[in-house]
């Protein structure tokens, strides 16, 4: 098996952090790091690595389609809408980090296998990657009326993309809760906290379940946490499912690897770890 | 330079916190129809944390946002119908668009005081539609004046017609208000507002300080009905401002009546300065007269507030409690004189 070659489009926090994570993977190499400005913060950072840089956006791939097997698009929903059909035509397996909702939503711990058969997968949101699998784990052993998740992230870890698209975050995460679970209704809430030193990403899931079997729920969630920890080592169950006031409360935190942004940026880490995991699975299955 | 002062009524929004978001539709109807001709600028209605916030995290509303807003829309004439929303809880698609369809005329978009850029989508969306929209910076005791100015300027650039600083924790002292509000008023072109909480009994003092420094929006609630220790009590504020010769267009007795009938009556909220005490204060009547005034008002069937006003006119001093009965009798006779039955009765 050879290494899968990856092109990253988008040189912000997500793209720059992915570049570091790819260096660590035995199955992946980054062959092109693409943006619009060779002097952007991310581009200057990327000069530390042995990777070809380009400021030609999607044209960098159109002009040199053999440069990669996988494209990770870390631009914005609006830009991905332009890029997606071009990448489809070029036959590139595309991992979409934006909330564009063009491809199927993918949470590796839930639907990695099915997602590998598609040409464009969407990684939902950071909060979605952290909490939707827990909601799924509760749902697979219960009849759920309602899931509600709350993600609190450090202000410093939320770049302009997240801030300008906070509605897309809220809506997309809610859609993922409904898509991957049997809940009749769902809600997603996000809050930014500017505390200094920055807080670790903190997530809570509330679930209203008919006649819950708490042992089954706890086991199912524990299994899921182990599954996620295979690709996100900073993922931690801090409050195991507990019944209080007629609702089940579960809490997870994510500590980042400290690659591009410091460890408080667990939100950045979990969605990027999901992308790396999908790229590695692709390499294993297809190359 | 000076902008006319606008009163934003948050009773049916912040008050929701005080009753665990169990506001009844009948209360909303009664409140809105009674407050209609009071002179308030806007009445904001909904869950305490705004549209879309009904949740296990902060508390479930008894009624959906849309039901509350519709009940208000059908009964509110005069003040604009307002709604509050915090991005991250609510969205344009799920919450703002339906609220616009119902007929909400004014929006307040809020966020933690250092995170104004998360309101960009929503303020721009509303402002482009020419809908009146204001920014709200919550927990504003946690940021420096300079940082608040940066955040206010962002909201101004998105199209907000004003920005309201919320003292969500009731932690400000008047000198903090002065420092922050003055800086914002001097360095922006839009309205600056203040929303007080009463944890340290500073809600009124802080609101007055804000007005002195040029704030042209004040947020308050009848009876101070609101989260925790409550808000800036609107009737008290109006009484004080009218004493200073301002806000003559506001019907103070109307506010007192709605507070007594709906907030204290229908809802059963018991905090805040009583209507009688407010009028007693305005009239400059010895506070210990309260018991005597209440008794006399009941016995002679007159409005206790009228007794205070008359006592004030007569410049009574401590030790003249006997005059309370005299005034009550006088008012009772005066009322009867306005009544056709008076002639009959006086002949008997």
């Amino acid at each position: 098996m050879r290494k899968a070659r990856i092109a990253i489009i988008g040189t912000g926090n997500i793209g720059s952090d992915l570049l570091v994570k790819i260096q660590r993977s035995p199955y992946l190499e980054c062959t092109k790091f693409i943006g619009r400005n060779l002097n952007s913060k991310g581009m200057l950072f990327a000069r530390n690595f042995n990777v070809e840089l380009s400021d030609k956006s999607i044209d960098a791939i159109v002009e040199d389609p053999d440069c990669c097997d996988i494209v990770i698009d870390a631009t914005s929903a609006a830009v991905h809408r332009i890029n997606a059909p071009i990448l489809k035509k070029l036959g590139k397996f595309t991992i979409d980090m934006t909330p564009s909702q063009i491809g199927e939503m993918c949470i590796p711990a839930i639907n990695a296998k099915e997602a590998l058969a598609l040409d464009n997968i969407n990684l939902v949101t950071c909060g979605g990657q952290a909490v939707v699998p827990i909601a799924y784990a509760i749902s697979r052993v219960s009849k759920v009326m309602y899931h509600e998740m709350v993600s609190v992230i450090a202000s410093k870890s939320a770049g302009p993309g997240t801030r300008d698209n906070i509605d897309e975050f809220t809506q997309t995460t809610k859609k993922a809760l409904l898509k991957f679970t049997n809940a009749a209704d769902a809600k997603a809430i996000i809050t930014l906290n500017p505390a200094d030193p920055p807080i670790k990403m903190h997530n809570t899931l509330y679930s209203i379940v008919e006649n819950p079997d708490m042992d089954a729920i706890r086991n199912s969630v524990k299994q899921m946490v182990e599954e996620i920890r295979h690709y996100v080592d900073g993922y931690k169950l801090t409050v195991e499912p507990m019944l209080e006031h007629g609702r089940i409360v579960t809490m997870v935190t994510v500590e980042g690897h400290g690659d591009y942004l410091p460890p408080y940026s667990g939100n950045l880490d979990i969605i990027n770890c999901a992308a790396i995991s999908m790229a590695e699975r692709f390499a294993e299955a297809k190359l | 330079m000076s902008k006319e002062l606008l009163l934003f009524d948050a009773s049916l929004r912040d008050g929701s916190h005080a009753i665990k978001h169990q506001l009844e539709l009948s209360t909303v109807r009664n409140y809105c129809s009674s407050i209609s001709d009071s002179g308030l600028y806007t009445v904001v209605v909904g869950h305490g944390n705004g549209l879309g916030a009904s949740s296990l995290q902060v508390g479930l509303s008894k009624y959906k946002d849309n039901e509350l807003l519709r009940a208000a829309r059908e009964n509110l004439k005069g003040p604009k119908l307002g709604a509050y929303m915090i991005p991250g809880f609510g969205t344009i698609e799920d919450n703002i668009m339906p609220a616009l369809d119902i007929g909400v005329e004014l929006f307040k978009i809020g966020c933690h005081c250092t995170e104004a850029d998360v309101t960009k989508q929503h303020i721009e969306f509303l402002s482009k539609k020419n809908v009146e929209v204001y920014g709200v910076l919550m927990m504003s005791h946690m940021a420096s004046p300079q940082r608040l100015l940066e955040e206010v300027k962002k909201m101004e650039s998105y199209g907000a017609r004003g920005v309201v600083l919320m003292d969500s924790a009731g932690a400000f002292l008047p000198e903090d208000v002065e420092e922050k509000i003055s800086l914002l008023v001097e360095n922006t072109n839009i309205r600056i507002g203040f929303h007080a909480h009463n944890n340290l009994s500073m809600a009124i003092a802080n609101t007055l300080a804000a007005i002195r420094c040029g704030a042209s929006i004040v947020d308050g609630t009848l009876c101070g009905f609101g989260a925790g220790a409550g808000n800036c009590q609107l009737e008290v504020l109006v009484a004080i401002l009218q004493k200073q010769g301002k806000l003559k267009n506001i019907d103070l007795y109307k506010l007192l009546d709605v507070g007594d009938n709906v907030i204290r009556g229908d809802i059963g909220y018991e905090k805040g300065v009583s209507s009688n005490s407010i009028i007693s204060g305005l009239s400059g009547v010895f506070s210990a007269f309260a018991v005597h005034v209440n008794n006399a008002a009941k016995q002679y069937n007159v409005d206790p507030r009228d007794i205070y006003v008359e006592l004030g006119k007569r410049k009574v001093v401590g030790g003249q409690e006997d005059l309370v009965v005299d005034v009550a009798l006088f008012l009772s006779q005066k009322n009867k004189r306005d009544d056709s039955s008076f002639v009959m009765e006086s002949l008997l």
Side-chain angles (χ1 to χ4, degrees):
Chain A
M1 187 185 93
R2 66 172 170 87
K3 282 187 174 185
R5 293 161 308 157
I6 299 181
I8 297 171
I9 319 180
T11 65
N13 290 344
I14 292 270
S16 303
D17 187 70
L18 279 167
L19 179 60
V20 185
K21 286 183 165 50
I22 289 171
Q23 311 302 316
R24 243 192 337 263
S25 169
Y27 309 106
L28 309 174
E29 61 179 320
C30 185
T31 46
K32 256 196 177 59
F33 191 69
I34 306 165
R36 285 178 302 192
N37 173 3
L38 287 174
N39 292 311
S40 72
K41 203 172 152 208
M43 279 292 185
L44 296 176
F45 173 74
R47 288 185 192 176
N48 300 316
F49 301 89
N50 180 26
V51 59
E52 192 186 320
L53 307 179
S54 164
D55 60 355
K56 295 169 106 176
S57 302
I58 186 73
D59 289 342
I61 296 174
V62 174
E63 287 167 13
D64 180 16
D66 293 331
C67 72
C68 61
D69 309 298
I70 300 171
V71 174
I72 303 184
D73 192 336
T75 55
S76 68
V79 174
H80 187 65
R81 274 181 213 112
I82 300 166
N83 294 349
I86 299 170
L87 294 169
K88 189 181 168 77
K89 222 166 154 187
L90 293 172
K92 299 296 172 197
F93 180 63
T94 300
I95 302 176
D96 174 20
M97 312 298 287
T98 79
S100 77
Q101 296 196 49
I102 289 175
E104 272 301 305
M105 290 196 267
C106 168
I107 309 262
I110 303 176
N111 67 340
K113 218 170 172 186
E114 298 86 324
L116 281 182
L118 305 169
D119 48 29
N120 184 319
I121 59 171
N122 180 275
L123 290 194
V124 197
T125 59
C126 56
Q129 289 293 341
V131 183
V132 173
I134 302 295
Y136 170 86
I138 293 176
S139 278
R140 68 185 168 189
V141 293
S142 341
K143 185 173 178 205
V144 176
M145 261 81 78
Y146 178 65
H147 280 309
E148 175 182 309
M149 57 156 286
V150 183
S151 275
V152 183
I153 63 173
S155 294
K156 276 190 172 172
S157 72
T162 308
R163 290 160 180 275
D164 287 355
N165 296 296
I166 190 161
D167 267 21
E168 283 79 353
F169 176 97
T170 315
Q171 300 278 12
T172 304
T173 311
K174 173 179 139 187
K175 277 182 195 156
L177 279 171
L178 289 171
K179 174 189 163 74
F180 289 108
T181 79
N182 58 352
D185 196 10
K187 182 163 184 65
I189 296 170
I190 181 172
T191 297
L192 304 184
N193 182 318
D196 199 16
I199 57 152
K200 246 192 277 183
M201 183 200 203
H202 185 275
N203 307 278
T204 296
L205 176 71
Y206 300 103
S207 312
I208 306 265
V209 173
E210 206 176 282
N211 302 319
D213 176 346
M214 290 308 295
D215 288 336
I217 287 173
R218 280 191 201 106
N219 284 334
S220 176
V221 166
K222 273 183 195 155
Q223 273 173 33
M224 179 53 78
V225 170
E226 284 316 304
E227 187 65 36
I228 297 167
R229 286 176 59 86
H230 282 147
Y231 59 92
V232 193
D233 49 17
Y235 191 81
K236 205 167 162 192
L237 181 68
T238 51
V239 175
E240 63 172 11
M242 111 190 140
L243 191 60
E244 56 110 48
H245 296 98
R247 59 196 190 180
I248 295 170
V249 182
T250 312
M251 297 186 194
V252 294
T253 57
V254 188
E255 184 168 329
H257 211 277
D259 290 329
Y260 180 65
L261 289 185
Y264 60 76
S265 307
N267 45 318
L268 189 76
D269 228 64
I270 192 166
I271 194 166
N272 281 357
C273 287
I276 296 292
S277 170
M278 288 309 296
E280 288 181 341
R281 288 172 210 237
F282 179 90
E284 202 176 8
K286 305 272 172 96
L287 301 177
Chain B
M1 131 96 205
S2 82
K3 300 178 173 84
E4 176 205 4
L5 184 64
L6 306 181
L7 293 188
F8 281 22
D9 175 9
S11 307
L12 297 185
R13 199 276 303 161
D14 215 318
S16 161
H17 286 295
I19 50 169
K20 297 179 181 159
H21 315 291
Q22 302 300 298
L23 205 54
E24 296 289 344
L25 295 179
S26 58
T27 307
V28 174
R29 286 192 202 103
N30 192 10
Y31 187 94
C32 289
S33 57
S34 342
I35 203 91
S36 280
D37 48 2
S38 57
L40 296 175
Y41 187 73
T42 179
V43 171
V44 179
V45 178
H47 186 283
N49 293 69
L51 302 178
S54 173
S55 57
L56 296 170
Q57 173 80 345
V58 297
L60 292 168
S61 275
K62 183 161 186 179
Y63 292 96
K64 293 192 167 77
D65 293 330
N66 292 352
E67 295 174 298
L68 293 165
L69 290 175
R70 257 186 229 110
R73 183 64 291 168
E74 285 158 11
N75 293 281
L76 186 68
K77 317 261 169 346
K80 293 170 196 262
L81 175 59
Y84 179 52
M85 198 189 88
I86 303 173
F89 280 101
T91 63
I92 293 173
E93 185 184 325
D94 284 355
N95 307 101
I96 292 181
M97 306 259 270
L100 281 171
D101 287 342
I102 289 168
V104 171
E105 300 161 280
L106 180 152
F107 284 82
K108 292 165 74 184
I109 305 295
C111 64
H112 182 72
C113 60
T114 54
E115 312 297 318
D117 42 10
V118 302
T119 64
K120 180 169 185 253
Q121 262 182 320
H122 317 81
I123 294 178
E124 281 183 350
F125 172 82
L126 288 163
S127 148
K128 278 183 189 146
K129 278 185 173 297
N130 226 7
V131 178
E132 193 167 344
V133 55
Y134 296 85
V136 169
L137 295 173
M138 298 189 291
M139 298 288 280
S140 56
H141 68 290
M142 290 178 87
S144 69
Q146 287 70 25
R147 179 61 191 265
L148 292 173
L149 179 59
E150 282 170 38
E151 302 298 311
V152 169
K153 286 198 159 170
K154 285 184 201 166
M155 288 174 152
E156 183 176 20
S157 76
Y158 306 152
R161 297 202 193 173
V163 175
V164 176
L165 286 193
M166 276 193 182
D167 178 16
S168 317
F172 274 68
L173 297 181
E175 51 266 40
D176 307 319
V177 178
E178 281 162 18
E179 189 185 10
K180 288 176 175 173
I181 295 288
S182 299
L183 186 78
L184 301 181
V185 168
E186 283 158 21
N187 292 285
T188 58
N189 296 313
I190 52 175
R191 286 178 179 275
I192 298 299
F194 189 71
H195 170 106
H197 274 274
N198 207 29
N199 300 62
L200 301 177
S201 277
M202 284 287 137
I204 291 285
N206 285 342
T207 305
L208 291 172
I211 295 170
R212 267 200 312 279
C213 296
S216 54
I217 297 171
V218 290
D219 239 27
T221 66
L222 293 189
C223 308
F225 184 42
N231 294 65
C232 168
Q233 188 175 349
L234 269 182
E235 317 91 286
V236 178
L237 182 74
V238 168
I240 295 169
L241 292 172
Q242 291 191 342
K243 192 170 177 174
Q244 295 174 337
K246 298 172 197 156
L247 289 187
K248 294 290 189 198
N249 61 324
I250 305 287
D251 185 342
L252 175 59
Y253 270 38
K254 170 68 77 181
L255 299 185
L256 295 171
D257 287 341
V258 178
D260 285 337
N261 295 335
V262 185
I263 308 294
R264 294 200 168 94
D266 288 4
I267 297 170
Y269 188 72
E270 284 177 346
K271 293 181 193 164
V273 180
S274 75
S275 296
N276 288 349
S277 295
I278 294 169
I279 299 301
S280 173
L282 264 191
S283 310
V285 173
F286 199 76
S287 288
F289 279 30
V291 177
H292 304 279
V293 170
N294 280 343
N295 290 342
K298 263 185 216 134
Q299 189 167 350
Y300 302 102
N301 194 29
V302 291
D303 187 334
R305 299 178 300 197
D306 294 342
I307 301 181
Y308 285 115
V309 172
E310 185 60 27
L311 287 169
K313 277 187 200 158
R314 296 189 189 187
K315 303 200 184 305
V316 294
V317 298
Q320 283 191 288
E321 279 78 352
D322 55 327
L323 225 64
V324 174
V325 172
D326 187 53
V327 163
L329 270 169
F330 162 78
L331 290 172
S332 150
Q333 292 299 317
K334 194 169 155 236
N335 290 347
K336 281 182 185 157
R337 236 176 284 133
D338 301 332
D339 188 341
S340 57
S341 66
F342 172 71
V343 182
M344 291 296 293
E345 273 182 43
S346 61
L347 288 174
L348 292 174

